[in-house]
Amino acid sequence: MIQDFGWGSLQFLFLGLLWTAGLAFITFIAGGILGMLFALGRTLGPACIRIPIKIYIELIQATPLLIVVFLAYYGLSFLGLYLPPLAAAAISMTVYATAFLADIWRGCIEAVPKGQWEAADSLGLSGSERLRYVILPQALRIAVGPTVGFMVQIVKNTSVTALIGFVELTRAGTLLNNMTFQPFHVFMSVAAMYFIVCYPLSWWSEKLKERRHANSAAN
Amino acid sequence: MAYEMNFAPVLARAPELIDGAIATIELSAKSICIGLIIGLGVALIRFNRVPILKNIAAFYVETFRNTPLLVQLFLLFFGLPFLGVRLTATESAIVAVSLNLGAYSAEIFRAGLDAIPKTQIEAGLALGLSRLQTMRYVVILPALKVIYPSLTGQLTLTLLGTSITSAISATELTLAGAKIESQTFRSLETYIVLAVMYIAITFTFRAVYTLVGKWLFRRKVPKASIVAATIMDEETSQ
Amino acid sequence: MPTVLRIDNLTKAYGALTVLNGVNIEIETGDVVAVIGRSGSGKSTMLRCINGLEKFQGGTIEVAGHKLGSGKSNLRALRTDVGMVFQSYNLFPHLTVAENITLAPKVVRKLPKSEHPELVKSVLARVGLSDKAESYPDELSGGQQQRVAIARSLAMQPKVMLFDEVTSALDPELTGEVLKTITELAETGMTMVLVTHEMGFARGVANKTVFMNEGLVWEAGPSAEMFDNPKTEELRCFIQPNLK
């Protein structure tokens, strides 16, 4: 029985959007915390920490997200844990986000001019004091633009979890399409909803980057 | 439900996996060629501020960069038949991936063009070079060098992104894996093998990009960086 | 006057390139020493070896009672006694002038917060910027930023201050105000080593001058004598176009 595409359909999609937002949020928090630890470990840790982290980042960045999602999904059941698709989705997205955020933030730490490290050293600050008072505050300011930009990637990439049955916005769209057979209406609405979330974030990210470039050019 | 991993059934079907890998590389290569041409065209339109076209270009770039590839794929694959256009799954995949890459590469190319100081162009013109000659001799190579990490990073993302086209059963590696998985029931093993294959393909391509870069720039070569492509921020992603 | 800085046979190489070939210098408390020479003569490298920003392969450095050489050295303790001012100021952009000044005293010397305002006032007065305590570095001119950098270094009460081409990045008008500040500092008896291109300053303010060439101390002595009667051909050629 083919349904009509109407207000109810949009509400259904909106529910999917909420799940998308939720997954993106979890991913960003979990990936953010781990990514921060990995970035610090990669920049400042001893070789026995730096190298495994580097390998982790390189491998995740060389694997399609969809494969990581499938690995999490089948890996969980392999371990005997029968959890809803949300678990596999959250785990795989976190693994993916950690790798990228760690790399981005490492870049931000390294972007702090060498002179700052030297000035802090010359004043007699210890390694951790130097980090805490001079380097990290500046690295964080540098990081805001790219990080917001990456949040856009996270939101878009949640769509991949549709393929393990997690009912986020894209999967809601597929289900709706199977009920209404109006792919244009359905997927245009889906695209519009992603756009409404992503475009402001993209715009904000560009503004932040522009502002920082203007500031560092003025100095 | 397997308590022990057994790769044998999966590895026994290596020929299908190899075919899948070749299909992925083919799909990527075709999409990359088309996508880069689209991207360059769009970037030039925006850089030269061609009236009306530049607004269409901006609209195109923003919509494709702020919506997921999977949605673009579904829209094309399920939507086109209603317009009377019947493409195979693989053809739809190529169109979707090309359009997607076109938008991202347009931005990357634009950043490259913007990175060349106006004074360089003025110097070229002052020497008597035409606009076209100035672009060719003064602008293109330095601009390419600046964006090389972002661009090659984006190409890597594109290749990895083709795995999503398995959702509409386009012929590529992930689909081959899915077939094997559904027949051997060795799900985890299959995807581990797929991961290894994708990693191998990616590393190989990155080596190729590095070599191409060495030849193009003949001096220090910037490393292919997915992060550079992801965040489009040259400063923090070297 | 007692020797406060002694460099013995300092050698340093970057891979195959030898930058310092056996530098020997002795400086007494209260000396103001100008180090001059061409680019690449090793002057900045030598300066940066003194506070451990550059490592070196041979020789020893003894400064303000701290030793640098083979074996471990407590760089942090050394750096609280030896201050450095950089060519690019390196002020911390996310902190106000006052916060820049009090950061190290607070964190390294554990100076209580109640004493911060007094410290800020006194060092800013010495560099003539008393009204800039709450400004941010990007609100100041280059010359002002450099003077804040000097104040920041002074706040740690160093025994020796190193200046690495501190006016090279400044416009001529701004150079003057920084040189004035440095001159006043010299008059208070601070021991200073300045790598500089300002020959007038070297001759007029520094009591000793060291001319470096090819990674060695080519000539050294009282400034007036060095500039009036250069003993070596190289120094003669170097000074000729440079002295106003």
Side-chain angles (χ1 to χ4, degrees), chain C residues 2 6-7 18 27 42 47 79 81 104 132 137 142 146 176 178 182 189 196-197 206 241:
Chain C
R6 171 185 277 118
I7 302 181
T18 309
I27 293 176
L47 201 74
R79 286 164 179 167
D81 285 333
K132 295 290 182 192
Q146 194 59 295
V178 174
I182 297 179
T196 184
H197 288 306

Side-chain angles (χ1 to χ4, degrees), chain A residues 113-203:
Chain A
K114 189 153 168 274
Q116 294 291 305
W117 298 79
E118 291 185 348
D121 273 344
S122 302
L123 287 168
L125 296 174
S126 75
S128 55
E129 289 160 355
R130 182 180 59 184
L131 260 189
R132 181 174 157 196
Y133 292 102
V134 176
I135 303 299
L136 284 184
Q138 296 187 60
L140 250 57
R141 278 170 178 75
I142 295 176
V144 185
T147 303
V148 171
F150 187 67
M151 279 176 66
V152 176
Q153 303 298 328
I154 292 182
V155 170
K156 286 189 292 174
N157 280 314
T158 57
S159 61
V160 170
T161 61
L163 302 177
I164 54 167
F166 176 58
V167 186
E168 39 68 69
L169 180 53
T170 305
R171 182 135 187 93
T174 320
L175 293 171
L176 192 61
N177 186 39
N178 290 339
M179 293 192 281
T180 64
F181 288 98
Q182 306 238 33
F184 269 123
H185 288 92
V186 170
F187 289 114
M188 284 301 229
S189 307
V190 168
M193 286 186 180
Y194 275 111
F195 190 82
I196 290 171
V197 173
C198 292
Y199 185 68
L201 285 175
S202 295
W203 182 86

Side-chain angles (χ1 to χ4, degrees), chain A residues 54 58-67 70-71 74-75 77-78 80 82 100 103-104 106-108 110-111 142 145-147 149-150 152-153 155-157 159-160 162-163 170 174 177 181-184 187-188 190-192 194-195 198-199 202 206 209 212-213 216, chain B residues 1-5 59 62-71 74-75 78-80 82-83 104 107 156-157 159-161 163-167 174 181 187-189 191-192 194-195 198-200 202-203 206 223 225-227 229-238:
Chain A
K54 181 170 195 264
E58 295 277 318
L59 289 182
I60 298 295
Q61 289 188 342
T63 314
L65 175 57
L66 182 56
I67 304 291
F70 281 140
L71 282 173
Y74 292 112
S77 46
F78 177 75
Y82 294 100
F100 278 82
D103 214 14
I104 292 173
R106 173 187 62 95
C108 295
E110 289 175 2
I142 295 176
T147 303
F150 187 67
V152 176
Q153 303 298 328
V155 170
K156 286 189 292 174
N157 280 314
S159 61
V160 170
L163 302 177
T170 305
T174 320
N177 186 39
F181 288 98
Q182 306 238 33
F184 269 123
F187 289 114
M188 284 301 229
V190 168
Y194 275 111
F195 190 82
C198 292
Y199 185 68
S202 295
E206 285 306 306
K209 284 190 222 164
R212 185 173 72 78
H213 280 141
S216 39
Chain B
M1 202 166 76
Y3 287 103
E4 271 173 35
M5 290 212 279
F59 179 73
E62 291 307 321
T63 43
F64 271 84
R65 289 183 71 215
N66 287 293
T67 50
L69 174 61
L70 188 54
V71 174
F74 284 154
L75 199 46
F78 293 120
L80 281 184
F82 280 70
L83 292 178
Y104 282 97
E107 280 302 281
T156 303
L157 283 172
L159 187 140
L160 295 177
S163 64
I164 291 175
T165 63
S166 61
T174 306
E181 184 243 329
S187 314
L188 191 57
E189 294 88 328
Y191 288 109
I192 291 178
L194 281 187
Y198 272 107
I199 291 173
T202 303
F203 278 17
R206 273 178 28 187
K223 243 176 55 170
S225 169
I226 291 193
V227 170
T230 309
I231 63 178
M232 285 286 304
D233 192 322
E234 261 72 42
E235 190 176 336
T236 61
S237 53
Q238 294 306 340

